[in-house]
Amino acid sequence: MQASGLSSEPNYSRRSFFGRVSQWSALFAAYPLIPLPNLVESLASDSRVAQTPVVDKGFASVRKVGEGLYATISDTSKGLQTMCNGGFLAGKEAALLIEGFVSPAGAAFQHEMLRTISQTPIMGAIDTHYHFDHSMGNSYYGANGIALWAHINTSRRIFESYAAMQGVDKSVIVGPIEAQAKNAKSEMARKHAEQYAATIGNIFGVANATVVALPNRPLDPAKLPIHLDLGGLTAVVETYPGHSGTDVIVRVPAQNVVYTGDLLFNNMYPVTFDGQASVSGWRSTLKTFLSWSKDTIFVPGHGQICGPEGVQLSLDLFDDVEQQAHKFHKAGVTAEDAADQYVVPEKFKNVGIFAWSLSIGPTITKLYKEWDAK
Ligand SMILES: [Zn+2]
């Protein structure tokens, strides 16, 4: 046998290994680091909501929001182990975890917090949808024998979106967006495309740093809602349109507490880039949320815990983007150009934007499509 395979340069050099590791730590250079605001006054005085968190690790805190109900709230300005919000429900006979988070460390943190509060058997963990920041920590649950529940299309979409990035040259994924930035017609368009390239580069980094794990308990939307009896605590899993085509929420009607996943962003422009996101569908979902009891506590996918005022803000943001887009549409501005021309009004200047081209931009192009289809 020839030793042709034994070249002096191994295919996986230490340098390439450390390159991958540092990609993770440098991951969110472009992520908007918005500090978590305090609870709104109505919730700060709500008897269901604990005034102080059970634990505050910086990157996330866990707070009691009802009998046996806990919210895990991320503060991305302090760390990115969890990145999205989640929570857990601890009944007398069983517990349920919500979200796989962006990393196994995030899922581990939440599991450990549950275990400090309850030793009850775990029925499962739920990914509210397939997006990386809610699912790249799934392998922790798999390694710990915790069943993973999700919308029936979540597994396929995790695989197609993130496993498909693994081992691919980064330039294949990010190059076309960088070219778009180079050829941009305006300064705004260039800025948005550069930010988009950085964000997709970050997601590429996460996907390549992750041992992807897929949910093993598919939830067929035709069979939802389902009621989960945790022992003195009933959770209802429902599905609604809007954000990703794979969205499920966990609702506890007896206590008026809802874990919305990304169907609600509190104080952030809704993220609508997904091929299956629908502006009109999302608005109808938000209106359904508003039709529930006025004292409903919402645990959003991102941002602080809120009441109906957080849902109303999302609708107001959609309204504002729509009003401006409508003017562009009437003036004959193309969808592509209009997507960069929205101006954030003074009253929304403290509202977060998770990459323009994943939120405001696609909201405008989707509205154009809905109008042009009429
Ligand atoms: Zn999402």
Side-chain angles (χ1 to χ4, degrees), residues 129 131 134 243 262:
H129 62 298
H131 286 160
H134 300 254
H243 174 67
D262 280 0

Side-chain angles (χ1 to χ4, degrees), residues 33-53:
L33 300 176
I34 310 159
L36 189 72
N38 293 329
L39 283 176
V40 291
E41 220 167 288
S42 57
L43 288 183
S45 59
D46 190 307
S47 62
R48 292 167 294 176
V49 178
Q51 293 315 295
T52 46

Side-chain angles (χ1 to χ4, degrees), residues 197-208:
T199 305
I200 297 301
N202 289 341
I203 295 172
F204 174 89
V206 179
N208 276 276

